[in-house]
Amino acid sequence: MIDVIVAGCGPTGLMLACELRLQGRQPLLLDKDAEPTKVVRALGLHARTIEILDQRGLLEPFLAVGRKYPLGGFFAGIRKPAPERLDTAHPYVLGIPQTTTDRLLTEHALDLGVEIRRGCELVGLTQDDDAVTVDLADGTSLRARYLVGCDGGRSTVRKLLGIAFPGEPSRVDTLLGEMELTASPETLAAVSAEVQKTQRRFGAMPLGDGIHRVLVPADGVAEDRAVPPTLEDFQKQLRAYAGTDFGVHSPRWLSRFGDATRLAERYRSGRVFLAGDAAHIHPPTGGQGLNLGVQDAFNLGWKLAAEVNGWAPAGLLDSYQTERHPVAADVLDNTRAQMELLSTEPGPQATRRLVTQLMDFEDVNRYLIEKITAIGIRYDFGDGPALLGRRLRDVQLKRGRLYDLMHAGRGLLLDQTGLLSVAGWADRVDHIADVSEELDVPAALLRPDGHVAWLGDNQHDLTDHLGKWFGAAAG
Ligand SMILES: Cc1cc2nc3c(=O)[nH]c(=O)nc-3n(C[C@H](O)[C@H](O)[C@H](O)COP(=O)(O)OP(=O)(O)OC[C@H]3O[C@@H](n4cnc5c(N)ncnc54)[C@H](O)[C@@H]3O)c2cc1C
C-alpha cells in the first residue's frame, strides 16, 4: 500500500512530498494537469520560507535564480523601511516567479525519489479504518494509508470530505497576464503613475524581453474563474482605467484572481488532511499564500511520517490543525486589513495615513513585518520563555551554522552544557554539544521543523519532553 497520496503538485504538495521522502516514506504525488502551469502567481518568498529551504539545504539554487529585495513596503504596500536586526539570518524578500519555485521543488522531489504522476485527477475518495481509497478520473483507484489534499483553492478533496469553507466571497476580480505592448516606456510609466494614484490594482511591470506583467481591475466578478479572460478583456479594462490599452498584444498567458477569503473549518477528517490553498484562500496582499502553504507542509510532513514510521506520540498528528489553523486565521485577518487599507475610499485612506504614522514606531513596524514574513509565529506549547514554540533562527555554532545541521529533518538537541543526553531517542534526535554566542539558553530541543519544543538544563524535564514530541524511547 502507498504510504501517503499527495493530491496537487503546487508548492504545498511538492514541499510535503519532499518532507515525507526525507523521513524515509514513499509518497505518491498526483496532479490533474499534464503539464505545470505557465501562469505566474506568486513573485517572491518571505523570510520563514527562505529559512525552511536553508534548513533543508535547498536554498542555493533558489538564491542562484532569485533576486533579493528589501523587506520594507510589504504591509499594504506602505513604504517604510524594515526595522534593523530582524530575528532572522535572511532579512530580505527573494524575488522568484512561482513557476520557478515549483520547478526547483519538483527537481528536488525527483532527486529524492518522489514519484510524480501528472494528468492524474482525483475525483473520489472513501476511507475505512486502515486506508483511504482514491478514485481517479481514468476510472482506476489507488489505496494509501493517508491522503493530503494540496489541490488548491477549489479543492476537490475538501469538497468530497464535506468540510465547510466559511468566509467571504470575492467582491472584486483582477485581470493578470503577461504580454507585449507597443507604448513607449515613458508613456507607460507616466500613465501608470497617474492611474495608481486612485487605483492600486493597476500596473504594467516590465519583465525584460519586451514582456510586461499587466494588472487591471476586471469588469465584475467572474462566474467561473477557471475560464481565462481574453486579450480583448484586457484592452477594454485598460482603456476604461488608463484611457489607453498601451497597444497590448501577444499574450504569454492571461488569468484572473479574486479577493475571496475563506478558511476550512477542519484540516483533518480521519486519514485525510488539507494543506495550502485547499485549506485557506485570501487576497495576495503581502505575498503570503504560497509561503503559508509551504509552511503548512513543513509542519505536517514530519508528523505524518512519524505516524507512518510508528513512533508518533498520541496527539502529534492533531497538533497540525491546532498549530496551523490559527496561523491561517491570522493571515486571513491581516489580508482583510490590508485590503481595507488599499481602498481608495476616504475612511480607509484616513486609516492608512494613521497606520503609516504608527509604523514609525519601531515596535509596530517590527510586529507587522514579523507577521508578513511568518518569523514571529509562536505555537502554543504552554507557559515558558518567549522562545518556546517559536522557530529558532539560524545561529553560528563553533562547528558551523545550526541550519546546516538540520538537513536530514531530524529532531535536534542543541546542548550548551554538554551534560545532557538523548539516549533512547538517538534514532530520531541528534545531540549537538556546542555553544553559540547568539544563544543565551543552556539547551534547546528543536523539532524537525525547527520550532523550540523545550528549553532548560534539567535532564529529567528533557526526557519528559523527548517522550512528548518524539514518542517512546527505543529499546
Ligand atoms: C495574483 C496572485 C499573486 C500571488 N502572489 C503571491 C506571492 O507573492 N506570495 C505568496 O506567497 N503567494 C502568492 N499568491 C498565492 C499563491 O499563488 C498560492 O497561495 C499558492 O499557489 C498555493 O499553493 P498550493 O500548492 O496550495 O496550491 P496550487 O498552487 O493552487 O496547486 C494546486 C495543484 O493541485 C492540482 N489539482 C487541483 N485539483 C486536483 C485534483 N482533483 N486532482 C489532482 N490534482 C489537482 C492543480 O492542478 C495544482 O497544480 C498569489 C496568488 C495570486 C492569485
Side-chain angles (χ1 to χ4, degrees):
M1 195 185 334
I2 300 161
D3 287 334
V4 182
I5 292 177
V6 179
C9 214
T12 307
L14 285 161
M15 178 52 81
L16 180 65
C18 290
E19 283 294 288
L20 289 164
R21 190 71 201 106
L22 192 64
Q23 303 286 345
R25 303 322 311 177
Q26 189 59 66
L28 173 63
L29 193 46
L30 310 177
D31 201 287
K32 70 176 172 50
D33 292 344
E35 296 290 334
T37 177
K38 290 193 176 65
V39 174
V40 180
R41 289 185 280 164
L43 288 178
L45 302 178
H46 276 305
R48 180 57 192 138
T49 305
I50 299 168
E51 289 182 347
I52 283 174
L53 296 173
D54 197 11
Q55 275 174 252
R56 292 298 181 259
L58 303 180
L59 188 53
E60 236 171 71
F62 286 84
L63 289 178
V65 293
R67 189 166 155 202
K68 292 183 182 179
Y69 291 95
L71 253 177
F74 268 85
F75 186 78
I78 295 174
R79 302 207 177 279
K80 293 277 174 183
E84 308 253 300
R85 293 180 308 282
L86 275 178
D87 178 34
T88 176
H90 300 285
Y92 55 89
V93 173
L94 189 60
I96 185 163
Q98 182 165 343
T99 42
T100 307
T101 297
D102 288 357
R103 175 176 59 78
L104 292 175
L105 287 175
T106 302
E107 285 169 9
H108 180 62
L110 292 172
D111 283 350
L112 288 173
V114 172
E115 184 184 348
I116 300 179
R117 286 192 209 164
R118 286 199 156 272
C120 196
E121 182 177 4
L122 178 151
V123 293
L125 72 90
T126 48
Q127 49 179 325
D128 52 47
D129 287 348
D130 304 318
V132 188
T133 303
V134 164
D135 301 322
L136 302 174
D138 66 4
T140 62
S141 46
L142 298 164
R143 247 172 105 69
R145 294 180 68 180
Y146 290 94
L147 165 69
V148 186
C150 302
D151 49 346
R154 287 185 282 267
S155 170
T156 304
V157 173
R158 188 188 66 236
K159 288 173 191 157
L160 289 168
L161 292 171
I163 292 181
F165 203 36
E168 303 92 58
S170 203
R171 293 169 303 172
V172 288
D173 271 10
T174 307
L175 305 183
L176 174 68
E178 284 182 9
M179 59 203 77
E180 296 180 39
L181 46 79
T182 56
S184 72
E186 296 74 28
T187 306
L188 188 64
V191 176
S192 297
E194 194 55 36
V195 178
Q196 281 163 347
K197 284 182 186 162
T198 51
Q199 178 48 256
R200 294 185 199 279
R201 289 183 293 121
F202 184 93
M205 184 172 74
L207 300 175
D209 294 335
I211 303 289
H212 290 73
R213 182 172 166 102
V214 175
L215 185 80
V216 63
D219 184 11
V221 176
E223 269 176 36
D224 182 359
R225 198 163 292 114
V227 179
T230 63
L231 187 63
E232 291 69 41
D233 293 331
F234 276 78
Q235 290 164 330
K236 181 173 153 241
Q237 292 310 101
L238 286 169
R239 277 187 226 116
Y241 281 87
T244 165
D245 64 13
F246 301 113
V248 291
H249 65 96
S250 309
R252 276 191 184 171
W253 52 262
L254 303 173
S255 75
R256 68 172 81 234
F257 63 91
D259 67 341
T261 306
R262 297 183 179 278
L263 177 60
E265 223 158 48
R266 287 175 293 135
Y267 279 15
R268 178 180 189 180
S269 171
R271 294 182 164 271
V272 188
F273 294 81
L274 298 175
D277 276 14
H280 37 68
I281 54 168
H282 52 80
T285 36
Q288 301 170 87
L290 179 155
N291 290 271
L292 184 60
V294 166
Q295 290 156 29
D296 284 348
F298 207 59
N299 184 288
L300 178 60
W302 70 277
K303 295 174 180 173
L304 198 47
E307 186 71 28
V308 180
N309 283 329
W311 60 257
L316 186 69
L317 259 187
D318 285 329
S319 72
Y320 167 61
Q321 146 120 17
T322 322
E323 292 171 7
R324 296 303 299 170
H325 199 269
V327 170
D330 196 56
V331 170
L332 262 59
D333 264 357
N334 87 47
T335 55
R336 283 185 181 106
Q338 289 185 71
M339 287 305 281
E340 284 302 306
L341 296 174
L342 287 170
S343 158
T344 46
E345 294 295 313
Q349 280 297 299
T351 313
R352 185 182 178 91
R353 286 193 289 279
L354 197 61
V355 173
T356 306
Q357 289 161 13
L358 286 173
M359 284 177 75
D360 286 336
F361 293 96
E362 168 145 333
D363 281 354
V364 174
N365 198 9
R366 184 178 302 277
Y367 177 80
L368 294 174
I369 292 280
E370 287 200 350
K371 242 185 212 313
I372 297 278
T373 57
I375 60 172
I377 288 169
R378 184 176 187 226
Y379 298 142
D380 182 6
F381 295 171
D383 293 339
L387 202 51
L388 185 69
R390 278 177 79 112
R391 96 306 172 228
L392 186 58
R393 60 169 289 166
D394 193 18
V395 293
Q396 187 67 39
L397 306 171
K398 279 205 168 139
R399 76 181 63 182
R401 295 193 310 122
L402 172 67
Y403 280 13
D404 279 345
L405 304 174
M406 303 183 78
H407 293 182
R410 292 158 52 83
L412 187 148
L413 176 69
L414 180 53
D415 177 9
Q416 303 207 84
T417 71
L419 300 171
L420 297 165
S421 164
V422 297
W425 287 271
D427 57 334
R428 284 153 271 171
V429 181
D430 291 327
H431 182 190
I432 306 295
D434 204 337
V435 292
S436 169
E437 285 177 5
E438 299 166 61
L439 205 58
D440 61 356
V441 293
L445 177 64
L446 307 184
R447 309 191 312 185
D449 61 359
H451 280 258
V452 178
W454 171 84
L455 291 159
D457 58 6
N458 180 303
Q459 179 66 49
H460 185 69
D461 199 22
L462 168 62
T463 304
D464 278 354
H465 282 80
L466 284 164
K468 175 179 168 195
W469 291 106
F470 295 97

